[in-house]
């Protein structure tokens, strides 16, 4: 995420923590966020469903599949609980590297977790996978001889087709050893009957200078399968329908508008 995307996401999560942006930028983003919330009243629920999916998937991968190291690409700003806190609740030895292209977001994260050798922070763009995979920060924390949990949570919503998202995912997954898992989510029209909500969101983001590319289930399946990944049960579903907690009814798919999947590297 850029700081612009990150601020909007933070507003929708009811989290106004400072990401280091300038006050004039923050004011414009707040105005845009308020406009979006007025015109798309369930946008906050969509954002929270996305966040809760990612955290459930991290807990699942750590608790049920024994993964102890995570690479979170497109992590965005700090939101409690964070990925490393969820993973470390399963095993305090879990290591996490956060990657985001926004320098201010990563500077804040680095300052927050400075001194914790289990948490790394890297400023890099998902569209340049080699800069991530070869980074000393990643190499210091992630042992690619052991299974990895790779998070690609909604980051490809902001990667256009011309940037070859399928190729990027294939390169990232190709660096993972057998036994790794990929947590993936992506905005879609598939849960929006007449496409009006997602089209409105897309237009409003564009007014703020942010291009988003919703994709359908078949396209996402193609991305993951081309990368040599096996999609696990329950398949590609709405974020709020992906292995929901027993005490939390999943709700309407229209309150997701985002596909979610967990894939395995055989």
């Amino acid at each position: 995420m850029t700081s612009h995307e990150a601020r909007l996401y933070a507003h929708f999560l009811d989290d106004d923590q400072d990401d280091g942006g300038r006050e004039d930028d923050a004011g414009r983003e707040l105005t845009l966020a308020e406009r979006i919330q007025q015109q798309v009243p369930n946008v906050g629920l969509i954002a929270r469903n996305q966040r809760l999916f990612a955290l459930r998937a991290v807990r699942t991968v750590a608790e049920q599949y024994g993964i102890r190291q995570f690479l979170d690409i497109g992590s965005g700003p700090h939101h409690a609980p964070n990925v490393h806190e969820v993973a470390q609740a399963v095993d305090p030895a879990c290591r996490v590297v956060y990657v985001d292209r926004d320098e201010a977001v990563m500077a804040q994260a680095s300052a927050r977790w400075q001194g914790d050798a289990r948490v790394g922070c890297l400023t890099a763009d998902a569209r340049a996978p080699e800069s991530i995979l070869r980074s000393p920060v990643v190499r210091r924390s992630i042992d690619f001889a052991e299974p990895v949990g790779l998070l690609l949570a909604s980051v490809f919503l902001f990667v256009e087709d011309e940037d070859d998202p399928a190729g990027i995912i294939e390169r990232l997954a190709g660096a993972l050893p057998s036994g790794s898992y990929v947590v993936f989510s992506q905005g879609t029209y598939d849960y929006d009957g007449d496409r009006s909500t997602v089209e409105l969101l897309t237009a409003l983001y564009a007014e703020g200078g942010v291009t988003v590319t919703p994709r359908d289930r078949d396209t996402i399946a193609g991305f993951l399968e081309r990368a040599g990944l096996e999609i696990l049960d329950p398949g590609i579903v709405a974020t709020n329908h992906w292995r929901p907690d027993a005490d939390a009814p999943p709700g309407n798919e229209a309150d997701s508008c985002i596909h979610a999947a967990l894939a395995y590297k055989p």
Side-chain angles (χ1 to χ4, degrees):
M1 294 183 185
T2 65
S3 59
H4 193 61
E5 297 150 10
R7 278 186 184 274
L8 291 173
Y9 185 55
H11 287 304
F12 300 150
L13 287 172
D14 298 323
D15 180 358
D16 294 331
Q17 299 175 74
D18 179 26
D19 67 6
R22 298 180 310 180
E23 290 185 6
D24 55 344
D25 290 338
R28 284 194 295 270
E29 287 150 4
L30 177 58
T31 300
L32 178 59
E34 290 172 341
R35 285 185 58 216
I36 293 173
Q37 287 170 317
Q38 289 169 359
Q39 296 187 53
V40 187
N42 68 336
V43 69
L45 188 53
I46 291 170
R48 289 191 292 277
N49 280 331
Q50 150 64 26
R51 183 66 179 171
L52 290 172
F53 152 69
L55 297 181
R56 286 198 308 278
V58 168
R59 186 183 68 209
T60 297
V61 168
E63 196 170 67
Q64 297 184 23
Y65 303 133
I67 299 300
R68 295 295 179 263
Q69 51 181 356
F70 294 83
L71 181 58
D72 185 358
I73 298 177
S75 57
H78 156 73
H79 297 290
N82 294 280
V83 166
H84 71 277
E85 292 165 333
V86 172
Q88 289 169 6
V90 177
D91 184 342
C94 284
R95 304 184 305 281
V96 176
V97 176
Y98 295 108
V99 181
D100 200 277
R101 62 180 175 176
D102 183 78
E103 293 182 4
V105 166
M106 285 294 94
Q108 185 189 43
S110 294
R112 183 179 295 272
W113 298 306
Q114 187 175 14
D116 188 341
R118 301 169 300 171
V119 180
C121 298
L122 171 67
T123 302
D125 195 316
R127 294 171 296 183
E130 295 300 333
S131 70
I132 298 171
L133 296 171
R134 295 177 180 177
S135 165
V137 174
V138 170
R139 290 290 171 176
R140 183 166 57 245
S141 299
I142 304 296
D143 179 2
F144 285 96
E146 298 293 333
V148 177
L150 172 63
L151 275 73
L152 301 174
S154 275
V155 65
F156 283 92
L157 179 64
F158 304 103
V159 176
E160 298 179 59
D161 290 339
E162 64 188 33
D163 292 316
D164 188 21
I168 295 169
I169 296 166
E170 184 176 26
R171 176 65 188 99
L172 291 169
L176 305 178
S178 176
S180 294
Y181 292 83
V182 176
V183 176
F184 189 90
S185 59
Q186 159 81 63
T188 184
Y189 290 112
D190 288 354
Y191 305 119
D192 184 14
D194 62 1
R195 297 167 62 109
S196 59
T197 297
V198 177
E199 286 180 350
L200 178 56
L201 277 170
T202 299
L204 289 167
Y205 266 88
E207 288 180 20
V210 178
T211 299
V212 297
T213 305
R215 295 184 173 97
D216 62 20
R217 180 180 281 105
D218 288 346
T219 299
I220 293 166
F223 286 172
L224 299 176
E225 290 165 3
R226 171 176 160 178
L229 301 170
E230 296 179 359
I231 301 168
L232 304 182
D233 287 340
I236 299 173
V237 298
T239 51
N240 51 349
H241 285 239
W242 190 91
R243 303 191 191 186
D245 291 329
D247 59 351
N252 195 315
E253 290 178 337
D255 290 325
S256 168
C257 287
I258 299 175
H259 280 310
L262 178 64
Y264 173 72
K265 172 82 178 281

